[in-house]
Amino acid sequence: MVPHRRAPSAPPAGFADLEAATAGLRPPFAVVDLGALRANAVHMVRRAGGKPIRLASKSLRCRPLIGDVLRQPGFSGVLAFTLAEALWLAEDTEDVLVGYPTADVPALRQLASDERAAARVTLMVDSVEHLALISEAVGPSGPPLRICLDLDASLRLLGGRLHLGMRRSPVHAPEQAAELARAVVSRPRFRLVGVMAYEGQIAGVGDNRPGPGPMRAAVRLVQRISARELRERRAAAVRAVRSVAPLAFVNGGGTGSLESTSAEPAVTELGAGSGIYAPALFDHYRGFRPLPAAYFALAVVRRPAPRHVTVQGGGWVASGAPGADRLPVPVWPRGLRLLPAEGAGEVQTPLVGGAADGLRMGDLVWFRHAKAGELCERVDRLHLVEGDRIVDVVPTYRGEGHAFL
């Protein structure tokens, strides 16, 4: 069981503390700094302005830590990434929204045959095709199934010829949302309970990333325009859907947009999770600065040249458009960097910098992953540190035998 306190239990650990706590571990291993994690949770709640945060499980991928964060005031419910995962989490969690549509027929049948799970899990749809697939999988009889509509939050300009944001739902206009809502309520086994819209072009794109100043200015301009457009369109879509059926929740936002999304009257809850671990992609926002809470450590195994060392492993590259910002970041000892021509390797990763000459074979180099939950797909356990002590070791999804995606 994760030691639990209502407030941050300790100041964030420094690297001297992390090294002292993990001195007996064999790399590669991953560490979570509980002081930083809980400080991040408190700060996210403060940024949410009184609206509950539905915790994005894909960002944590560790059931004990999901439970720990959900016990913090201000967090309520889980935003899952697959139906199979949602069914597993619903064994212990009463409110699980599947954040993406599913075509997992066996999992749909399991949900449809389990009254307790059906009352706890909400499915996501963005088309009549989804409704038809679910209907065919589950049949006409059984407990009612909870349905949420996925509203596209991207910014479309020039009559739709310019698309800025995620390629998610085809439901963009309020009229399309109302039409899909009518299709849901026309099926007796479905209960329309929610609307979700994730503004990835705002929440997931740092507005202070390194690079040319004009590029940062362009990102900020697009985000301002998009936030203003979405505020009006989301409110209109919610009104249109509520004219068809009452809604239990309207979900929006992400770690990067908690303040702006919470200010929208139409939004009743926020979805976020990456800010709990605060991976490297979240270093480049002007409005908030989370504390790095998750690290992994690799051992030095070569010294190919002066000012160079090589560590074993390291190719823990994050998903998304390929680029340097998807690579892990060496953070300790300070002064090390990846080689542009090699990046992070599957079996070995060369590093260069003045700190390399002070490292011996077997010494550790500490890294941060670029994105949050994908770190846990690489390890089967997380070592939880407070100060200079490991206070617990908890399994990741992988450590519990699950690889949902």
Side-chain angles (χ1 to χ4, degrees):
M1 176 66 71
V2 180
H4 177 253
R5 296 172 179 84
R6 286 294 184 183
S9 54
F15 284 103
D17 288 338
L18 292 177
E19 290 183 333
T22 59
L25 299 182
R26 183 178 68 183
F29 58 82
V31 166
V32 169
D33 176 353
L34 286 180
L37 180 147
R38 290 180 180 141
N40 288 338
V42 169
H43 189 227
M44 288 171 67
V45 169
R46 187 178 304 124
R47 293 176 57 218
K51 291 187 178 177
I53 299 174
R54 185 181 291 272
L55 183 63
S57 62
K58 77 178 183 67
S59 300
L60 273 69
R61 303 193 197 208
C62 172
R63 196 160 55 156
L65 285 182
I66 289 171
D68 185 61
V69 174
L70 287 177
R71 288 189 291 270
Q72 308 290 334
F75 288 86
S76 180
V78 170
L79 183 65
F81 58 93
T82 74
L83 178 53
E85 178 215 14
L87 290 169
W88 182 56
L89 294 176
E91 295 172 6
D92 303 309
T93 305
E94 295 182 357
D95 181 6
V96 185
L97 170 63
V98 184
Y100 308 84
T102 185
D104 187 341
V105 171
L108 284 167
R109 290 174 176 161
Q110 180 182 345
L111 174 69
S113 64
D114 186 336
E115 188 168 343
R116 183 170 180 264
R120 293 183 166 201
V121 174
T122 302
L123 298 171
M124 187 69 64
V125 303
D126 65 25
S127 67
V128 173
E129 186 178 6
H130 287 147
L131 299 175
L133 184 150
I134 297 168
S135 295
E136 183 177 354
V138 305
S141 60
L145 301 180
R146 296 166 55 87
I147 302 293
C148 178
L149 305 186
D150 194 356
L151 176 70
D152 179 54
S154 64
L155 177 63
R156 299 183 186 180
L157 301 173
L158 303 176
R161 294 190 297 276
L162 180 59
H163 184 283
L164 300 171
M166 308 296 106
R167 292 283 184 178
R168 289 173 67 101
S169 170
V171 179
H172 189 79
E175 298 79 13
Q176 293 174 304
E179 182 179 359
L180 184 55
R182 287 189 288 270
V184 173
V185 301
S186 70
R187 289 162 167 80
R189 196 163 178 193
F190 294 162
R191 299 289 183 270
L192 181 58
V193 297
V195 170
M196 173 183 167
Y198 170 59
E199 54 269 30
Q201 72 276 15
I202 304 172
V205 179
D207 63 356
N208 200 33
R209 291 184 297 177
M215 181 63 70
R216 286 195 297 274
V219 167
R220 294 168 191 173
L221 176 62
V222 167
Q223 290 180 338
R224 285 197 300 272
I225 294 171
S226 183
R228 185 165 55 247
E229 184 274 340
L230 180 59
R231 178 187 180 98
E232 296 177 1
R233 179 165 54 85
R234 177 154 42 198
V238 170
R239 286 195 300 270
V241 173
R242 282 195 165 127
S243 72
V244 177
L247 295 175
F249 64 86
V250 176
N251 181 282
T255 291
S257 68
L258 290 175
E259 294 93 343
S260 61
T261 308
S262 67
E264 294 186 31
V267 174
T268 66
E269 65 172 41
L270 305 166
S274 294
I276 297 294
Y277 287 163
L281 280 175
F282 284 86
D283 289 349
H284 307 303
Y285 288 79
R286 291 183 300 165
F288 66 100
R289 183 62 61 88
L291 298 172
Y295 303 91
F296 65 94
L298 305 176
V300 173
V301 292
R302 293 183 192 266
R303 190 184 303 282
R307 301 184 72 251
H308 289 71
V309 291
T310 301
V311 294
Q312 188 168 42
W316 300 7
V317 179
S319 62
D325 64 347
R326 304 290 149 165
L327 298 176
V329 179
V331 291
W332 188 263
R334 291 190 179 93
L336 296 173
R337 63 185 186 276
L338 301 174
L339 275 64
E342 296 198 48
E346 178 184 8
V347 176
Q348 66 173 32
T349 296
L351 302 167
V352 63
D357 289 338
L359 292 171
R360 301 168 298 176
M361 296 297 171
D363 283 351
L364 297 182
V365 175
W366 292 80
F367 291 78
R368 292 170 62 206
H369 198 252
K371 292 183 70 176
E374 294 177 9
L375 169 65
C376 290
E377 296 298 332
R378 298 286 184 169
V379 295
D380 60 9
R381 70 197 72 177
L382 296 173
H383 298 82
L384 308 186
V385 171
E386 285 190 307
D388 61 357
R389 297 184 304 115
I390 293 176
V391 296
D392 206 350
V393 181
V394 295
T396 62
Y397 282 11
R398 172 175 166 169
E400 294 199 67
H402 292 287
F404 294 108
L405 280 180

